[in-house]
Amino acid sequence: MMRLRRPPWWALLLAVAGAALFVYLGVWQLHRADYKEALLRRYATSVSAAPQDFAGVAVRPPTDSFPRVRARGRYLLDRIYLLDNPHHDHRGGVEVFVPFAVEGETSLLLVDAGFLHPGANGATPTLPALPKEETTLQGLYVPPPPVGFEMGGNALARQTHWPKESIFLDPTELAADLGRPLFPRVLALDADPASGYIRQHSLELSMTPARHRAYAFQWFSFALAAVAILLVLNRDKRRRSP
C-alpha cells in the first residue's frame, strides 16, 4: 500500500486550485455544448416555421433564434459577391450573396442566394438569373458567415468589377464597399429547385457540441492529472522496517 508524506502547503494549495479550475472549465464546456445543441434544434425547427414580417426583427433579431421572415424589395444585381470555396458534397464552389433593397429601408439586406459548383477547370460558374423586378423573398434571418484573417487585407477594395470574390465576407467591409449600411444578419433563402442555386443552409458554429464535449473531457483529465501528480510527488519512498 502506498504511503504518503504530508505535502507542503503551497503544493496542496496549487493542486486544489488547479483541479478546481480544470473542473470549472470542463463544466463550462458541457454547458456550451448543451447551448449549441439547443441552437441547432431551434435552427432546424425554424425552417418550417411560418414567415413573419421582416420589419419586426430587422434591426434587433433575437440572439438565440433564427426567425423565418418575408421581405419585399429589389435586388442590386450589379453588386453581387461570391464567397469562395465553401464545401457542399466535398466539392469547392462559391456561395452567392446579393444586396437587397428592402422597401422603405435605408439599410441593405444581404441575401444568401445559394451555392454553385465551379465551372469547367475551376472557373467561376455562370450565375442563374435572379428577378430584376420588385419581388418578395422568404428565408431564415441568420448570422453572417464567419470572418477570419485575410492575407493582404480587404480583397473587395482591390476589385473594381462585380461579381467580387473573397474568402471572407466581412459585413463592415461590405457596407463600406456598397456605401450603405447593412442589416445585422443575412437572409438565407428558402430552397427552390427551380432557382438553379443549391440552398442547403446550415448553422455555422465556431465550435460544435461534440468539440465542446471533447474539450470538457480534456479539462476533467487535467483535473485528475493534477491530483495524481500531487500524490506521486508526495509518496513516502522510505522503506518501512520489517
Side-chain angles (χ1 to χ4, degrees), residues 80-84 147-170 172-174 176-177:
I80 294 176
Y81 297 91
L82 306 179
L83 180 62
D84 185 31
V147 177
F149 175 73
E150 187 173 6
M151 294 183 65
N154 185 352
L156 301 179
R158 298 193 299 271
Q159 301 175 59
T160 56
H161 300 285
W162 278 267
K164 292 188 176 184
E165 191 168 340
S166 181
I167 59 172
F168 298 113
L169 291 180
D170 186 317
T172 302
E173 294 176 357
L174 283 170
D177 197 54

Side-chain angles (χ1 to χ4, degrees), residues 13 17 32 35 55 57 59 103 144 150-151 167 211 214 222 238:
L13 179 62
R32 292 299 295 170
Y35 172 73
V57 294
V59 178
E103 282 185 337
E150 187 173 6
M151 294 183 65
I167 59 172
R211 193 171 177 187
F222 287 165
R238 293 174 298 178

Side-chain angles (χ1 to χ4, degrees), residues 126-210:
T126 300
L127 306 184
L130 293 167
K132 296 180 180 179
E133 66 279 0
E134 193 170 84
T135 187
T136 299
L137 303 181
Q138 284 188 178
L140 295 183
Y141 196 37
V142 299
V147 177
F149 175 73
E150 187 173 6
M151 294 183 65
N154 185 352
L156 301 179
R158 298 193 299 271
Q159 301 175 59
T160 56
H161 300 285
W162 278 267
K164 292 188 176 184
E165 191 168 340
S166 181
I167 59 172
F168 298 113
L169 291 180
D170 186 317
T172 302
E173 294 176 357
L174 283 170
D177 197 54
L178 292 165
R180 290 176 64 177
L182 291 174
F183 286 107
R185 286 191 176 184
V186 171
L187 181 64
L189 292 181
D190 289 346
D192 178 8
S195 71
Y197 291 91
I198 300 171
R199 295 172 180 166
Q200 297 174 347
H201 303 295
S202 60
L203 181 61
E204 296 189 55
L205 299 174
S206 57
M207 195 178 296
T208 64

Side-chain angles (χ1 to χ4, degrees), residues 82-88 91-95 115 118 165-167:
L82 306 179
L83 180 62
D84 185 31
N85 207 32
H87 291 277
H88 288 248
R91 294 171 57 189
V94 293
E95 196 83 17
F115 174 82
E165 191 168 340
S166 181
I167 59 172

